[in-house]
Amino acid sequence: MRPFEGKSPMKANLVVLLACVMVPALALAQEGQAPGNLNTITGVIVTGGRVEIVGSKKPNFTTFTMTDPPRLVIDISEAVFSGVKEEIAVGNGTITGIRTASYGSDESSIARVLIGYEREVETDIQASGNTLVVTTAGSGGTAVAERPGAAQGTAPAGTAPATTPGTTAEKAAVAAQTDRQQQEKAAAQSTAAAQDRQQQEKAVAQATAAAQADRQQQEKAAAQAAAAAQAEADAQRQAQARAEADRKAQEEAAKGAAQQAQQAEQRRLQEERAAKEAAAVAEKKRQQDEARATAEAKKQLASEEKARRESEAQAAAAEKKRQQDEARASAEEKKRLAAEEREAKLEEARAAAEDRRREQAEARQARVAQAERPRQAPAQGDSADVSSRSKVMTLVGFRPAPSGSRVFVRTNEPVSYNVTQGNKEVVLELENTRISESNNTRSLNTSFFDTAVVSVDADPGPSRTVRVAIKLKEQVQFETRQNGNEVSIEFQSPSRR
């Protein structure tokens, strides 16, 4: 029975040793003792509006701000505090105070520094070697330094980022999204810390169960030893005493571990409650941002509607002015035409008076008047008696025909005329003639007809004549004749190639 007696104390000693190693290890992890590869924060120094965070390595950090009251939160990853108080009172007119807290364990450790301000300020954050420097623009005050030697602690961390009032709806939505992301990050960190504590509690529970099983085996071995040999009663009693001592030690260790687990559970519940409160605040902030964005959108729509109405009113006013201008221009055109008509009537009256004087002169000189005959162009046509009165051209026109085309000019009575031919041009000149209406001076474009004529233009010529210029596509044969009050020129069709 000696070999069995040797196994029980050895197992008991191993359980006690495991408990002695696990409990300090759990305490070490919870107290945030830094392994060699973590950044150890040893000091937080305040000088006016300037805060220096001194560590053992170059800091790797993220920041966000909170309002009501104004705060700046700095999370330094893979870092723990050593000898830094969890609360540092400042009150220098710019900074109200500083709080510190640690989250996670080992490589996931996060050291948080929360700086409270008297008012909204602009900050500049720069890393200088192993020191993180936070500078406040236009600040002043006294210096406060926190050096190693003070106890550490935890502080609740806010998670609501600041938004700038008066931004557009899009910026408000972006700020709300950033707020939710930071809330989710803080909640994830809290969850990771809780999971780490749960793993530690599980290890303690496993150690306690192993100790309990070992204690039961020791009691069974003691009973078997007592029944097997009375001679070994003293040794068995000693073994039982040792086993009882081990059991008590294990129970004490288990009790301590249970207390630690209960404390960890309380902290987890507090963190969950804080996370829910932070989520509620974030949701309220999101709803406010959405309401503000909706109001901004409605305001924008109202502004656009107003601008549209003003634009329509301006367009209507412009259209009305255009119509008024057109009416005014039409009235002026009518006035001008009426003036031209009056001028034409006056001219006709003057011409009639001159004709009467000429008729009287012709009566006195009948023989001279009898000798005067109208001249004809060198072309075929009927002759007509032409008086010495002033003539009026009333119409110029063009008419296509199967065998060619015809240009004709009408006057108020037979007229003397001349026809000359140039390079792809024929000119009909009416003597002692004027144009009654300005519309008859407009160019006739006949180029789209399958004829030799391109255009016909009638304009006042020199010495009270009318000059009718006929442009041709090519030189063709033509014939001129006068029939009553109409002078016409017949053109042959152009050659087919």
Side-chain angles (χ1 to χ4, degrees), residues 298-412:
K298 290 181 178 179
K299 183 177 179 182
Q300 180 67 20
L301 290 175
S303 176
E304 292 176 355
E305 179 65 18
K306 182 179 178 182
R308 184 184 64 79
R309 291 178 180 175
E310 291 177 352
S311 177
E312 291 178 353
Q314 292 175 357
E319 177 64 17
K320 183 177 180 181
K321 185 175 183 302
R322 185 188 65 78
Q323 293 175 357
Q324 292 175 349
D325 292 340
E326 289 181 352
R328 188 160 43 251
S330 177
E332 290 177 355
E333 179 66 16
K334 290 180 180 179
K335 184 177 179 182
R336 185 185 62 78
L337 292 175
E340 289 181 355
E341 185 176 358
R342 287 194 300 272
E343 182 65 24
K345 289 180 179 179
L346 289 174
E347 183 66 23
E348 289 177 0
R350 285 194 293 269
E354 184 178 352
D355 290 341
R356 284 193 297 273
R357 286 194 299 272
R358 289 181 180 178
E359 287 175 357
Q360 292 173 0
E362 289 174 357
R364 290 190 300 268
Q365 300 176 358
R367 292 179 180 179
V368 177
Q370 187 70 24
E372 293 182 355
R373 308 297 290 176
R375 288 174 294 174
Q376 287 184 334
Q380 297 178 0
D382 299 333
S383 62
D385 295 335
V386 179
S387 70
S388 60
R389 293 189 297 272
S390 177
K391 315 304 185 297
V392 178
M393 188 194 79
T394 60
L395 179 65
V396 58
F398 169 83
R399 183 176 297 129
S403 60
S405 59
R406 178 170 174 261
V407 176
F408 58 90
V409 178
R410 293 176 184 171
T411 58
N412 61 339

Side-chain angles (χ1 to χ4, degrees), residues 110-130:
I110 295 176
R112 173 172 291 182
V113 178
L114 185 145
I115 305 174
Y117 292 96
E118 296 283 353
R119 60 191 179 279
E120 295 288 347
V121 297
E122 294 184 0
T123 58
D124 179 65
I125 306 173
Q126 299 289 338
S128 177
N130 297 343

Side-chain angles (χ1 to χ4, degrees), residues 145-343:
E146 179 59 30
R147 293 299 186 184
Q152 288 183 242
T154 61
T159 57
T163 58
T164 305
T167 59
T168 62
E170 182 179 358
K171 291 183 178 179
V174 171
Q177 180 65 22
T178 304
D179 187 1
R180 286 194 295 273
Q181 291 176 354
Q182 292 175 347
Q183 294 283 356
E184 293 170 358
K185 180 179 178 181
Q189 292 174 350
S190 299
T191 303
Q195 291 176 351
D196 187 67
R197 285 192 296 273
Q198 290 176 356
Q199 292 177 354
Q200 296 172 0
E201 293 166 4
K202 182 178 179 180
V204 172
Q206 291 175 350
T208 304
Q212 183 66 22
D214 188 72
R215 183 182 62 80
Q216 292 175 356
Q217 290 178 356
Q218 291 174 3
E219 291 176 351
K220 183 178 179 180
Q224 290 176 351
Q230 185 64 32
E232 296 180 355
D234 293 339
Q236 187 64 30
R237 283 194 296 271
Q238 293 177 357
Q240 289 178 353
R242 286 194 298 270
E244 184 65 20
D246 291 341
R247 184 185 63 79
K248 290 182 179 180
Q250 293 169 6
E251 289 178 354
E252 290 294 332
K255 183 178 180 181
Q259 291 177 351
Q260 291 178 355
Q262 184 179 4
Q263 293 174 357
E265 179 65 16
Q266 291 176 353
R267 285 195 297 271
R268 184 184 65 79
L269 293 175
Q270 291 175 355
E271 290 173 354
E272 287 181 355
R273 186 163 49 252
K276 290 180 180 179
E277 292 175 354
V281 171
E283 178 64 18
K284 182 178 180 181
K285 187 72 169 60
R286 183 188 64 78
Q287 293 175 356
Q288 292 175 349
D289 292 340
E290 289 180 352
R292 186 159 46 247
T294 302
E296 289 289 340
K298 290 181 178 179
K299 183 177 179 182
Q300 180 67 20
L301 290 175
S303 176
E304 292 176 355
E305 179 65 18
K306 182 179 178 182
R308 184 184 64 79
R309 291 178 180 175
E310 291 177 352
S311 177
E312 291 178 353
Q314 292 175 357
E319 177 64 17
K320 183 177 180 181
K321 185 175 183 302
R322 185 188 65 78
Q323 293 175 357
Q324 292 175 349
D325 292 340
E326 289 181 352
R328 188 160 43 251
S330 177
E332 290 177 355
E333 179 66 16
K334 290 180 180 179
K335 184 177 179 182
R336 185 185 62 78
L337 292 175
E340 289 181 355
E341 185 176 358
R342 287 194 300 272
E343 182 65 24

Side-chain angles (χ1 to χ4, degrees), residues 3-85:
F4 179 79
E5 182 179 2
K7 289 183 180 179
S8 295
M10 182 178 295
K11 290 184 179 180
N13 291 335
L14 288 175
V15 173
V16 172
L17 180 59
L18 178 61
C20 294
V21 171
M22 289 296 295
V23 172
L26 292 174
L28 180 62
Q30 293 175 351
E31 292 175 2
Q33 297 299 323
N37 59 345
L38 295 183
N39 187 0
T40 303
I41 308 301
T42 59
V44 178
I45 304 172
V46 182
T47 305
R50 177 187 175 96
V51 178
E52 295 182 1
I53 304 171
V54 182
S56 61
K57 298 173 62 177
K58 184 176 181 179
N60 182 13
F61 64 96
T62 58
T63 65
F64 61 94
T65 60
M66 296 188 292
T67 58
D68 298 327
R71 287 159 291 171
L72 172 65
V73 179
I74 304 172
D75 284 344
I76 304 173
S77 61
E78 300 180 5
V80 295
F81 291 103
S82 177
V84 179
K85 291 181 179 179

